[in-house]
Amino acid sequence: MASAPFHNGYGLMTVHGIRKPAWRAFEMLASLGDYRLPVSGNVSPADGSSTVSLLATRPQGSGGGALAGPLGGSRRLWDAAGQSQGHVVLLLSNFHRNRSACTAQNVSLAVIHRSDATLPPTARAFRVDEAHANPLAEWHRQGQPIYPDSSQLSKLHDASRVRLAEAVPLHRLSPTQSVMHFTMPPFSVLKLEL
């Protein structure tokens, strides 16, 4: 039924203007920095067997530097003075066009830095997945109303919003290397702010 908020139709929002998860993923992409940082490691598309992709950015003009990739190689993220080179934003996705090939992935993200670098204790994590920014789940909790009332629509809009989901600890492994560990559910997007 085309007037129902969710009817297996295409589009980034419902007929009631409720943003779907794909909208929120594009919203996260639009919030990235102006300068793309190189990444390395077992990430897609460099590693054809990986379902996890990583994009690292920072604001333009905040100095040189780069970031590490999941499960492997790392590059310098902090400058010679040990100061952060600007707000770094990472966008990760776990996706595969074959639904059965996409499973939850445990990710270890390594960062190489100067020994005198001052790093934040945590990264702010924003998620789009089954449990976060998912108005469809709220619609199911409401009993799948064909014509939601204003209160139901308000709850659907609220369920669609991306919020701070967690703080991911940044563990110092050595004077020059730190790591974050987290899980990427299947068909999910994760934005980390350092």
Side-chain angles (χ1 to χ4, degrees):
M1 178 163 291
S3 62
F6 301 94
H7 56 83
N8 293 325
Y10 292 100
L12 297 176
M13 70 172 97
T14 70
V15 296
H16 299 97
I18 299 158
R19 274 57 172 165
K20 295 180 183 177
W23 174 290
R24 298 307 183 186
F26 280 115
E27 194 173 58
M28 288 177 158
L29 190 61
S31 72
L32 298 178
D34 303 313
Y35 183 79
R36 187 171 177 176
L37 302 171
V39 298
S40 60
N42 300 337
V43 292
S44 175
D47 178 351
S49 64
S50 178
T51 59
V52 176
S53 297
L54 169 64
L55 178 62
T57 68
R58 65 172 168 69
Q60 190 169 8
S62 59
L67 182 73
L71 310 172
S74 302
R75 297 181 187 251
R76 192 168 310 283
L77 181 60
W78 278 261
D79 67 14
Q83 300 299 310
S84 173
Q85 297 176 354
H87 185 74
V88 175
V89 181
L90 314 173
L91 190 66
L92 295 101
S93 66
N94 183 15
F95 177 81
H96 194 282
R97 66 182 143 203
N98 177 353
R99 290 194 69 79
S100 63
C102 191
T103 60
Q105 299 292 313
N106 293 318
V107 177
S108 294
L109 185 77
V111 179
I112 300 292
H113 49 78
R114 290 182 48 90
S115 60
D116 60 348
T118 304
L119 294 104
T122 60
R124 294 168 28 104
F126 301 85
R127 293 182 177 269
V128 175
D129 56 33
E130 284 291 322
H132 303 91
N134 183 0
L136 179 61
E138 174 61 26
W139 185 62
H140 283 286
R141 278 191 289 277
Q142 294 176 359
Q144 303 176 18
I146 302 281
Y147 302 105
D149 62 30
S150 60
S151 173
Q152 290 169 321
L153 286 172
S154 178
K155 289 177 184 175
L156 291 170
H157 282 289
D158 191 55
S160 166
R161 289 187 175 82
V162 176
R163 294 181 175 78
L164 181 64
E166 63 195 283
V168 177
L170 186 61
H171 303 284
R172 202 162 205 148
L173 298 178
S174 73
T176 59
Q177 184 176 18
S178 296
V179 68
M180 291 181 280
H181 304 286
F182 48 88
T183 300
M184 294 287 301
F187 301 101
S188 65
V189 178
L190 170 65
K191 182 173 89 169
L192 293 169
E193 295 178 348
L194 292 170

